[in-house]
Amino acid sequence: ISGGADSMALAYAVSRAVGSSKCYALTVDHGFRPESSREAKDVSRLMRHLGITHEIRRLDWDSTGSSKDRITSLPPVQRLEEIARERRYAEIADVCHKHGIGAVLTGHHAGDQAETFLLRLLRQSGVYGMAGMALQTPLTAAAPMEWPNTTTPAVIVRPLLQFKKDALYDICKTQGIRWHEDASNKDSRFRRNQLRQVITARSRDPKSPFNVDSLLRMCDIMQGHREYINQEVGRHLAGSAKFDTSSGTVELVATDDGKGGLPLWAANAAVRERVLAEVVSWVNCKGHPPELAHLQQFSRALDSYYRQPSVAGPVSAAGVTVIPPSSRHGWLFCRQAPRPGEIEPHEGLALGSSVVWDKRLIISASWPGNQSAGSVTWGLYSLDDAMRRWHGQISEHRNQLKRARKRLEPHMVQVTQPVVCIRIADAGGAQTYPVLALGHILESRPASGIAIAIRVPGKVGSAASEIVR
C-alpha cells in the first residue's frame, strides 16, 4: 500500500470482499522524499480505519554497517526504479514468509499495463515482454532463497489490471477515502513517467495509438500468443529436458532425428527463446529472467554448432555456461565456473539442518541412527577450496570413480559442485573428512549411512529432492 488512490481503492475493495481480519497491509517507505515517512504513518491510520493490520518497512540507503546486503548510497537514477523494486519485493517476500501469507495483491491498473507495454516495446522485447503484466505470477524475490524449508512461495495477484485510474479515484471519492499523490510520479527523468504523461495526453483521442484501450488490446493479443508459447515450452521441457537437482544442471536433447539436425525445441525462434529462459533461470536461481541479449547469445551458439559442430565451444552468459553436445550428453547447462574464493564455505552445521549453498542449491545432511550427533557437524566447500584441503583424498576418489566406470560430469560441471564434509570430535581431538565430492559419495568415508539431500529451490524439475547416501 503506497497510499495512492490505486492502492487505497484496492485496500477498501479487498477488505470489503473478504473481511478486514483476513488482510495484512504493507507499506515500503523508499525514503526518496522527505514527506514519505509522514505519508506512510498516515496510511497506517487509514488502514486502522478499515480494520486492516498494517506494517511499515523503511529502506535504508545510508547504512554504515558491515552487512554486505546494505546499500551505502542511492543508486544512479537510471537504475533507481529497478533497484528500488527489487528491494521492495524482497521486503514483501520476507513479510509473506514471517506471517504465512500466500497471496500478495497489488494496485497495478490499466494505465500501468499500458505503460509497461510501451516500455517493453521501446526495449525491443519479444512477445513475452509486450504481453505485459500477468494477472497472477509467482513471487520470485531473492529473499525466499534464505529459507531452505520454504516450498510454496506466495503469488502476486493484480486484480485491478482492467480498471482505469479514474475509476479508482471514483471509489476513493465516493467512500471518503483519502489518498496521497506521489510527486515523484511527475519526475520526467524516469522513462515510465514520460510515457505516463504521453498516454494521459493522448487517451482522450480514441484513434490515438497511445490510447489506453488500444494499448490494452495489444496486450491481450500478445497474452494469447504467450499462452500458446507457454504450452509449447512446457511440452518441450517435459520431453526434451533433464533437470538434475544434485548437480544443478539441465541437459537438453541435441537432436530429435538421429541425424544431428536441429531439435524440435529449437526449431521455432519464440519457443526456443523461452525454453532457454526457463533453463537458464533454473540453473542460475537469480529470481529474475535472463536478459534478452544473453538468450540471443546462447541462441547464436546453437545455430553456430549446427552449421559447423567441429568449432563449437562452451558459451557463458547470465552466470550460466552451456556446453555443446558430445557422445555422452546433449546441450548441458551448468553454473558458470566460480572465481577463486567466490563461494564461501559453510562450517559447523548441525546434522539435520539445511543451508543454501552458492545461492542456488539447498543442501541438508543427516545421519540416521547415529548416537553421537552432538560431536558431529558438517560443512560445505567449493571444489577449489576442498582440493587445497583434501587433494589426495579427492584425487584418489576421482581415480576410483574412473576405474569403476562411474559417470563423471565434465570438468566445467565438477568445479560448480559442492563438496560435503563431516567433522567428528572425540577425546582424541577432531578430524574433518570429505564424504561427497564430484557428485558421488566417497567409498573411504568414516560416516557410513550419512544421508545428503540436494535440491534446487522452487523450480521446474525439482519436485523431489535427490538423495544420495
Side-chain angles (χ1 to χ4, degrees):
I1 301 294
S2 65
D6 42 8
S7 62
M8 295 304 296
L10 174 70
Y12 170 79
V14 174
S15 65
R16 292 300 177 267
V18 303
S20 301
S21 62
K22 296 182 179 180
C23 300
Y24 192 97
L26 171 67
T27 296
V28 179
D29 178 7
H30 297 87
F32 293 154
R33 297 175 292 113
E35 63 271 24
S36 64
S37 179
R38 173 181 55 78
E39 291 174 357
K41 293 176 182 177
D42 195 32
V43 172
S44 276
R45 288 190 289 271
L46 296 170
M47 290 300 103
R48 282 199 299 271
H49 178 70
L50 292 174
I52 299 174
T53 303
H54 181 252
E55 178 180 350
I56 299 173
R57 293 205 175 185
R58 181 179 175 86
L59 299 184
D60 185 2
W61 300 96
D62 298 300
S63 299
T64 56
S66 59
S67 172
K68 61 183 178 183
D69 295 325
R70 289 176 173 169
I71 298 178
T72 57
S73 62
L74 285 175
V77 67
Q78 296 87 347
R79 296 199 61 215
L80 188 59
E81 287 185 306
E82 174 192 352
I83 294 176
R85 181 186 184 280
E86 289 177 359
R87 296 193 66 194
R88 178 169 67 252
Y89 275 93
E91 295 294 338
I92 292 171
D94 187 57
V95 169
C96 289
H97 174 68
K98 289 183 176 178
H99 297 282
I101 294 170
V104 178
L105 277 65
T106 70
H108 294 109
H109 52 78
D112 295 319
Q113 184 76 300
E115 294 162 14
T116 299
F117 174 84
L118 286 179
L119 271 174
R120 294 178 178 176
L121 178 64
L122 291 172
R123 292 172 183 166
Q124 300 180 351
S125 294
V127 169
Y128 255 65
M130 289 189 290
M133 294 177 282
L135 176 64
Q136 179 174 310
T137 53
L139 177 58
T140 54
M145 283 294 294
E146 304 302 323
W147 314 318
N149 296 320
T150 298
T151 57
T152 309
V155 294
I156 300 172
V157 182
R158 305 177 179 92
L160 304 182
L161 284 179
Q162 296 299 319
F163 288 79
K164 294 181 180 178
K165 185 84 172 199
D166 287 347
L168 304 179
Y169 279 129
D170 288 343
I171 292 175
C172 291
K173 290 174 182 177
T174 56
Q175 300 301 324
I177 300 170
R178 297 199 318 274
W179 71 87
H180 297 288
E181 294 290 353
D182 187 344
S184 65
N185 287 337
K186 298 180 180 179
D187 189 338
S188 59
R189 292 179 299 170
F190 301 115
R191 177 64 64 86
R192 183 177 283 274
N193 291 347
Q194 295 170 7
L195 294 175
R196 182 179 302 126
Q197 293 164 12
V198 171
I199 293 171
T200 301
R202 305 287 182 86
S203 276
R204 301 296 180 186
D205 180 3
K207 296 181 180 180
S208 170
F210 296 102
N211 179 281
V212 169
D213 291 329
S214 299
L215 295 172
L216 292 182
R217 281 195 293 272
M218 286 302 302
C219 281
D220 287 340
I221 292 170
M222 294 298 179
Q223 285 171 5
H225 291 309
R226 180 169 65 184
E227 183 178 350
Y228 173 77
I229 292 172
N230 279 340
Q231 293 173 355
E232 289 296 293
V233 168
R235 183 170 65 85
H236 285 300
L237 288 176
S240 302
K242 177 184 176 184
F243 295 83
D244 188 340
T245 59
S246 66
S247 62
T249 62
V250 180
E251 181 182 349
L252 287 170
V253 297
T255 184
D256 291 302
D257 60 9
K259 300 177 181 178
L262 199 68
L264 293 176
W265 64 264
N268 177 277
V271 173
R272 178 200 296 194
E273 177 188 305
R274 297 318 305 174
V275 168
L276 290 173
E278 290 289 339
V279 168
V280 170
S281 295
W282 193 90
V283 172
N284 68 21
C285 290
K286 290 186 181 297
H288 58 78
E291 296 179 12
L292 181 59
H294 293 152
L295 298 177
Q296 291 172 338
Q297 188 174 344
F298 288 131
S299 189
R300 287 193 297 270
L302 264 69
D303 290 334
S304 175
Y305 170 83
Y306 289 105
R307 284 195 305 267
Q308 197 171 1
S310 60
V311 298
V315 175
S316 297
V320 172
T321 294
V322 58
I323 304 171
S326 72
S327 59
R328 298 182 59 192
H329 59 74
W331 288 99
L332 191 59
F333 293 75
C334 67
R335 186 229 201 263
Q336 190 170 345
R339 300 182 302 275
E342 180 183 353
I343 304 176
E344 296 182 357
H346 295 263
E347 299 174 318
L349 302 171
L351 289 172
S353 63
S354 298
V355 66
V356 177
W357 183 79
D358 191 27
K359 299 181 181 179
R360 62 188 179 92
L361 297 178
I362 295 176
I363 304 176
S364 62
S366 59
W367 197 349
N370 177 48
Q371 301 300 315
S372 56
S375 62
V376 180
T377 58
W378 68 286
L380 287 164
Y381 303 84
S382 68
L383 181 63
D384 184 56
D385 280 344
M387 287 296 286
R388 285 196 292 268
R389 298 170 186 242
W390 304 285
H391 182 275
Q393 290 167 271
I394 295 176
S395 295
E396 176 57 26
H397 174 52
R398 179 184 281 113
N399 292 334
Q400 289 175 350
L401 293 173
K402 289 180 178 178
R403 288 194 294 268
R405 299 185 181 277
K406 294 288 184 68
R407 175 183 168 86
L408 274 174
E409 298 286 0
H411 180 72
M412 278 181 286
V413 176
Q414 292 179 20
V415 298
T416 70
Q417 293 182 292
V419 174
V420 180
C421 300
I422 61 164
R423 184 176 186 273
I424 302 176
D426 54 28
Q431 190 72 33
T432 302
Y433 310 89
V435 294
L436 173 72
L438 309 176
H440 295 270
I441 292 287
L442 273 74
E443 292 184 5
S444 59
R445 69 191 189 282
S448 179
I450 194 168
I452 301 161
I454 304 175
R455 66 184 175 92
V456 178
K459 296 289 185 179
V460 177
S462 61
S465 303
E466 176 134 346
I467 307 294
V468 290
R469 294 184 185 275

